[in-house]
Amino acid sequence: NHQSSIDTMCMSKIWPHRAIILMKKSLMYVPFFGWAAYLSGHEFITRSSGASSEVRDHMAVINERIKEERLRVIIFPEGTRNRKFDGQMLPFKKGAFHMAQQCGCAILPVLIYISRDVYDSNRWIFNSGVVKMKILEPIPTAGLTKEEVNGLVEDVRGKMQAALDSMVQKKE
């Protein structure tokens, strides 16, 4: 799930060795952040509804890089931040799941919950408090067909939403 730009800082606590983030191309042009991400080898993609041949070709190159370099990929499947902080996830984009299916890589869902009491993104105010993180069991994709990707998306999102619901209900 993806609530704010703080999520990547939270992920740094559990950042796996040889990991890259897949992020929207416009972030490459954000001073300092984008430059550092580019120089660190993270991947930038053009977001579009429906996959154009250019996007598909770029994803194929990224998939090859993942396999050859044995990389782990961090993707926020909602595709954008959910600024509501209400414990509900946005619908998932399918691209990450197609990538996992094509690579045969397991999906390791990670949840981050930052209550509005801790971080108010509208006013950029931080307060002391607890940021909750939960790592779910890996979900294998080896042997799945592209026809099974929709079911994979629903399964992963359902498991993540159920876990997030339990995190939100347990107040700090």
Side-chain angles (χ1 to χ4, degrees):
N1 63 311
H2 193 20
Q3 288 182 292
S4 73
S5 54
I6 307 304
D7 296 341
T8 52
M9 286 189 281
C10 295
M11 287 292 295
S12 69
K13 183 74 174 162
I14 61 165
W15 204 272
H17 179 65
R18 303 195 48 74
I20 61 170
I21 300 175
L22 193 65
M23 61 188 93
K24 65 183 179 179
K25 191 171 188 172
S26 63
L27 291 176
M28 186 166 46
Y29 306 106
V30 174
F32 306 109
F33 172 81
W35 306 333
Y38 175 79
L39 293 172
S40 298
H42 298 289
E43 290 286 349
F44 298 89
I45 59 167
T46 303
R47 295 190 315 179
S48 63
S49 56
S52 69
S53 61
E54 180 184 334
V55 172
R56 278 194 306 273
D57 291 347
H58 187 209
M59 292 306 292
V61 169
I62 293 171
N63 280 344
E64 281 305 309
R65 180 177 173 217
I66 291 165
K67 290 177 193 174
E68 287 175 13
E69 297 178 33
R70 301 190 62 180
L71 297 173
R72 292 174 175 94
V73 182
I74 297 168
I75 301 172
F76 295 100
E78 292 165 294
T80 192
R81 292 175 298 224
N82 182 358
R83 296 176 188 258
K84 291 183 182 178
F85 289 75
D86 63 356
Q88 296 300 308
M89 292 187 300
L90 298 174
F92 283 5
K93 308 291 184 193
K94 296 178 189 173
F97 298 91
H98 280 288
M99 176 183 273
Q101 179 267 325
Q102 290 165 6
C103 289
C105 302
I107 296 170
L108 183 65
V110 176
L111 294 143
I112 301 169
Y113 177 66
I114 306 169
S115 75
R116 189 164 296 282
D117 296 337
V118 174
Y119 175 58
D120 184 340
S121 63
N122 294 326
R123 300 183 318 172
W124 288 67
I125 294 176
F126 292 90
N127 296 302
S128 63
V130 176
V131 174
K132 297 179 183 181
M133 293 182 70
K134 186 170 190 172
I135 303 170
L136 304 184
E137 291 295 319
I139 300 169
T141 65
L144 290 181
T145 64
K146 64 181 178 180
E147 290 77 20
E148 295 173 296
V149 169
N150 287 343
L152 177 65
V153 173
E154 291 174 21
D155 180 46
V156 173
R157 189 180 185 288
K159 288 177 180 177
M160 289 181 73
Q161 186 62 63
L164 187 58
D165 289 346
S166 71
M167 292 168 71
V168 172
Q169 289 172 0
K170 295 177 184 172
K171 296 290 180 192
E172 281 93 337

